Amino acid sequence: MSQLCYNRGCGQRFDAEQNYDGACTYHPGVPVFHDALKGWSCCKRRTTDFSDFLSIAGCTKGLHNSEKPPEPIKPEVKSTEKKEVDLKPKCHEYVIQAPKQIPSFNRPSADEPMKRLQSKISPSLKQALEKLTLNNKEASKEEESDEIKPGTSCKNSGCSKSYVGPESNEEKCVHHPGVPIFHEGMKYWSCCKRKTSDFDNFLAQEGCTRGTHVWTKKDSGKKVVSCRHDWHQTGSQVTVSVYAKNTVPELSFVEANSTVLNMHIVFESEKEFQLKVNLWGVIDVFKSYVTMTATKVEIIMKKAEPVLWAKLDLPPPISVQNEKDNQKNEETCEELD
């Protein structure tokens, strides 16, 4: 009767009578997630993609292990007495009104030519990009040739099979078509939702779908994604922070004129973030610049006038027709009352 191997990075089924030293290829270390890089503490291979991390071949050979690792002990939750909740608001509400429309002769036109802002690259970003470049070169050398080498692991999530020969293409691939989800201490796949709190058990979960093996990862190009960003201001400047890790300076740029800001940021090699903002105030483009670090991109804009901005972006102007419609609605409501 076949048994499931619980060694990290293996997950294959084996026959206890044919279990010999060297039959299992596994990772004796623990998973390491640091600075968007994923890998094992026992070997130096690192990657930014979770599916590639799951398919990293083991670095140690030994016997298969049929003992299931124990579940971590959950801390006891002590019940507390319910306290009466005060439903009254504890703070005052402030309403920020939209700024009055600035006369067109005072506010520069949004159609002014755009100027690319100067970028400053921090040493931390240079060091992080050097690590990513080395890892990408190692991976590209393996993917340059169309020939599939024996021992190449399947790129489908949850599949632990390796390429042996042409007969491997005829095997059915048992994998997870979904994505991994880590939420409130629980780990599971979006396709089958078998939840567990232990990372080793999560890696050992068998796939829920049958298909064909994928031995080479296809380049899907850059993905346009959203990225968390915020802003703050002082009396003389406005700073916009975009929390994009490992930005690629050669492919990223920020351009602006006196009233419009346009961002195009490529980070983590394959993610792309774009944002265009009609600024609330007016900036001095020639005294504005961009700083890129390993964890975020900051756009420092010099104010043309030392005034406080109510918002980062300027609301669109209200047309005369919309004002008339609003007045009619107000008059109708008064008549009904």
Side-chain angles (χ1 to χ4, degrees), residues 134-324:
L134 291 175
N135 292 331
N136 291 337
K137 284 183 178 179
E138 293 179 0
S140 61
K141 287 180 181 179
E142 297 177 358
E143 296 176 359
E144 278 180 358
S145 60
D146 296 334
E147 182 183 356
I148 303 173
K149 296 181 180 180
T152 301
S153 57
C154 178
K155 300 300 185 291
N156 286 333
S157 301
C159 179
S160 58
K161 297 293 184 179
S162 299
Y163 183 79
V164 179
E167 61 274 12
S168 299
N169 295 325
E170 300 177 0
E171 296 177 354
K172 289 293 183 181
C173 175
V174 182
H175 64 283
H176 294 285
V179 294
I181 297 177
F182 301 153
H183 181 63
E184 294 182 353
M186 303 304 292
K187 307 164 183 67
Y188 59 95
W189 294 92
S190 62
C191 48
C192 53
K193 297 182 180 180
R194 287 177 288 174
K195 298 182 179 180
T196 179
S197 59
D198 186 72
F199 189 77
D200 292 331
N201 289 342
F202 166 72
L203 295 179
Q205 285 184 4
E206 291 190 42
C208 58
T209 303
R210 292 180 176 272
T212 57
H213 290 294
V214 177
W215 306 115
T216 57
K217 184 181 178 182
K218 297 181 180 179
D219 186 9
S220 58
K222 294 182 176 58
K223 303 176 183 177
V224 179
V225 298
S226 59
C227 189
R228 185 169 67 91
H229 60 280
D230 58 21
W231 72 288
H232 64 274
Q233 64 177 321
T234 62
S236 59
Q237 66 184 24
V238 174
T239 302
V240 179
S241 300
V242 181
Y243 298 96
K245 291 185 177 181
N246 300 327
T247 302
V248 183
E250 294 80 6
L251 303 178
S252 304
F253 64 86
V254 177
E255 56 185 11
N257 59 24
S258 300
T259 58
V260 178
L261 177 68
N262 186 21
M263 291 174 274
H264 180 92
I265 299 173
V266 177
F267 61 102
E268 293 183 358
S269 300
E270 58 183 10
K271 298 179 181 179
E272 184 177 347
F273 172 70
Q274 298 180 4
L275 181 64
K276 186 175 182 180
V277 182
N278 291 320
L279 299 174
W280 191 92
V282 182
I283 65 171
D284 186 348
V285 181
F286 297 96
K287 294 183 180 180
S288 303
Y289 59 94
V290 181
T291 60
M292 298 181 180
T293 66
T295 56
K296 63 181 178 179
V297 176
E298 286 191 336
I299 301 138
I300 295 90
M301 298 177 288
K302 176 71 174 177
K303 292 181 179 178
E305 295 179 352
V307 295
L308 289 178
W309 292 14
K311 295 178 63 178
L312 177 63
D313 56 330
L314 181 68
I318 301 175
S319 63
V320 177
Q321 184 63 35
N322 289 338
E323 290 182 354
K324 291 181 179 179

Side-chain angles (χ1 to χ4, degrees), residues 31-79:
V32 177
F33 300 156
H34 181 65
D35 286 345
L37 296 177
K38 305 168 185 64
W40 296 91
S41 61
C42 50
C43 51
K44 296 181 179 180
R45 176 74 184 276
R46 296 291 185 270
T47 180
T48 58
D49 186 75
F50 191 81
S51 299
D52 290 345
F53 161 71
L54 296 179
S55 62
I56 295 177
C59 58
T60 304
K61 292 184 178 293
L63 294 170
H64 287 295
N65 178 23
S66 61
E67 294 183 5
K68 186 177 181 179
E71 290 279 351
I73 300 175
K74 297 182 180 179
E76 295 181 0
V77 180
K78 296 181 180 180
S79 61

